[in-house]
Amino acid sequence: MLDIYKLGDEVLREECSDVTEFDDSLKMLAEAMIDTLEEADGVGLAGPQVGVSKKIFVVHIRGNEPIVFVNPQITATSMETGVYEEGCLSIPGVYHDVIRPVRVSIQAQDLKGKVFNIDADGPLARVIQHENDHLYGKLYIDHLDERERDKVVHQYEKKNRIRRHQKSRV
Ligand code: NI
């Protein structure tokens, strides 16, 4: 399993570089990310979240095969937007409504470098946008207004202090 970097870690705020080598180490990274995602019971995980500042993310909506996106680009977004409660494995334990387009088209490469396109709606469209943001150092809390963002960060910090406290008593 890979370590998941948390809010405050600089790597989460960096813009990722393109993947240029479609080799075994990329395949191994993707497999480890899919395993880590499953272990963490999440639906999406991006390179920076495991300390790799490269344009790669994995999405695994339960009941579907996991999908690996390399060097993705969102090519179209719907005018129609929707509200959905999001969380992030890098900000565990807190959630907040986020407004985003309900449909997106995305172009990406697979692990062999082959280009593919997906037109997504529903949960897949939501996760794609959330993960794609990670590749540009952006987190879902950045979509909130300042007051809401402060509230979420405060909740997260409070939960974290409680967890550390409990651990130290054991
Ligand atoms: Ni996230």
Side-chain angles (χ1 to χ4, degrees), residues 44-46 49 86-91 130-131 134 138-140:
L45 186 67
Q49 294 184 275
E86 292 188 28
C88 181
L89 293 175
S90 293
I91 320 173
H130 177 117
E131 299 313 321
H134 274 298
K138 195 167 178 180
L139 303 172
Y140 82 86

Side-chain angles (χ1 to χ4, degrees), residues 34 40-41 44 51 72 76 80 93:
I34 290 167
D41 199 24
E80 189 190 340

Side-chain angles (χ1 to χ4, degrees), residues 1 4 31-45 58 60 62 66 89:
M1 288 315 130
I4 297 179
E31 281 167 4
M33 286 173 71
I34 290 167
D35 289 347
T36 303
L37 180 60
E38 183 149 7
E39 177 77 16
D41 199 24
V43 289
L45 186 67
V58 298
H60 192 184
R62 300 297 174 263
L89 293 175

Side-chain angles (χ1 to χ4, degrees), residues 11-18 33 43-49 52-59 67-77 86-88 100-101 103-109 116 118 120 123-140 142-143:
V11 68
L12 292 175
R13 292 310 197 173
E14 290 165 8
E15 182 169 343
C16 296
S17 53
D18 288 342
M33 286 173 71
V43 289
L45 186 67
Q49 294 184 275
V52 178
S53 196
K54 294 274 182 194
K55 286 186 180 156
I56 180 171
F57 66 75
V58 298
V59 171
I67 311 172
V68 181
F69 296 81
V70 181
N71 299 331
Q73 277 195 314
I74 290 179
T75 53
T77 53
E86 292 188 28
C88 181
R100 296 189 194 263
R103 289 178 298 280
V104 295
S105 300
I106 187 167
Q107 182 171 84
Q109 286 168 282
F116 65 93
I118 291 179
L124 180 59
R126 179 61 61 161
V127 182
I128 283 173
Q129 293 174 78
H130 177 117
E131 299 313 321
N132 198 64
D133 276 352
H134 274 298
L135 306 185
Y136 297 89
K138 195 167 178 180
L139 303 172
Y140 82 86
D142 301 333
H143 289 274

